[in-house]
């Protein structure tokens, strides 16, 4: 009985850790996007034919990075920022185009050992409900945000590689 209860407790803990990681990612992505759009407008970054604030995130990130000479290919910065944004969209909206995009971008978000993590929800066809995120993923996303802003900062003492993620 104790072994069963320990495994049930671990299952709940892993499920809650994944849900918390998704919620933190949603918050981090929202904050990063908000800061990026404010900063981009300050730089005068626009995408023709689109109203400010309506530009697709990936396109706007690329244009802002180019305007500030930030290399998104310098390590996994660009990859991690896109993954963070897609995870946030999947968590916010559920199944849809972001699930398809995230599955293509980071298929590992759906790979887990069933003996370590078992979904608490009844089986369903919602792919977004099977998304697995670890606390280390949130740290990785925060690191990508810090590295982006460090590289965007052109002052001499800018911290380009924060000590996390």
């Amino acid at each position: 009985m104790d072994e069963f209860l320990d495994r049930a407790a671990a299952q709940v803990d892993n499920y809650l850790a994944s849900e918390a990681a998704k919620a933190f990612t949603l918050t981090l992505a929202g904050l990063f996007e908000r800061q990026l759009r404010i900063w981009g407008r300050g730089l005068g970054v626009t995408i023709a034919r689109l109203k400010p604030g309506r530009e697709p995130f990936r396109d706007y990130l690329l244009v802002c990075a180019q305007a500030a000479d930030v290399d998104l290919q310098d390590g996994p910065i660009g990859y991690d920022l896109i993954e963070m944004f897609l995870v946030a969209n999947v968590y916010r909206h559920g199944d849809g185009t972001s699930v398809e995009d995230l599955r293509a971008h980071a298929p590992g978000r759906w790979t887990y050992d069933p003996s370590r993590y078992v979904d608490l929800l009844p089986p369903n066809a919602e792919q977004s409900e099977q998304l697995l995120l670890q606390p280390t993923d949130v740290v990785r996303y925060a690191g990508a945000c810090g590295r982006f802003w460090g590289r965007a900062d052109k002052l001499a003492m800018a911290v380009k590689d924060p000590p996390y993620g």
Side-chain angles (χ1 to χ4, degrees):
M1 182 62 133
D2 287 343
E3 184 180 345
F4 168 76
L5 292 174
D6 288 344
R7 287 184 181 178
Q11 176 183 359
V12 170
D13 289 348
N14 287 338
Y15 179 79
L16 289 176
S18 181
E19 287 300 304
K22 293 173 198 172
F24 283 121
T25 299
L26 177 61
T27 301
L28 186 59
L31 179 61
F32 182 83
E33 182 180 9
R34 180 175 173 266
Q35 291 172 335
L36 181 72
R37 291 187 185 280
I38 291 168
W39 179 69
R41 283 192 294 273
L43 289 175
V45 172
T46 60
I47 296 178
R49 300 179 318 275
L50 295 174
K51 287 184 172 183
R54 303 299 299 169
E55 309 92 348
F57 173 77
R58 284 192 241 187
D59 296 341
Y60 200 68
L61 174 64
L62 182 60
V63 172
C64 285
Q66 289 171 344
D69 197 29
V70 174
D71 183 5
L72 293 176
Q73 302 305 317
D74 183 10
I77 296 171
Y79 182 90
D80 288 345
L81 291 174
I82 296 300
E83 182 179 321
M84 174 185 71
F85 188 76
L86 289 171
V87 166
N89 274 351
V90 168
Y91 188 62
R92 180 184 308 125
H93 301 295
D95 281 9
T97 58
S98 289
V99 167
E100 297 164 14
D101 290 349
L102 182 57
R103 285 187 78 89
H105 185 82
R109 297 297 107 226
W110 278 269
T111 303
Y112 57 89
D113 178 3
S115 67
R116 187 182 61 76
Y117 172 87
V118 179
D119 208 356
L120 291 179
L121 300 176
N124 63 63
E126 294 288 314
Q127 293 182 49
S128 59
E129 289 299 321
Q130 304 304 316
L131 173 65
L132 174 63
L133 214 61
Q134 300 288 326
T136 54
D137 294 316
V138 180
V139 172
R140 185 168 49 89
Y141 301 149
C145 293
R147 285 188 296 280
F148 177 88
W149 292 120
R151 284 159 176 75
D153 187 346
K154 300 307 177 196
L155 296 177
M157 300 297 286
V159 177
K160 298 191 182 309
D161 288 301
Y164 52 85

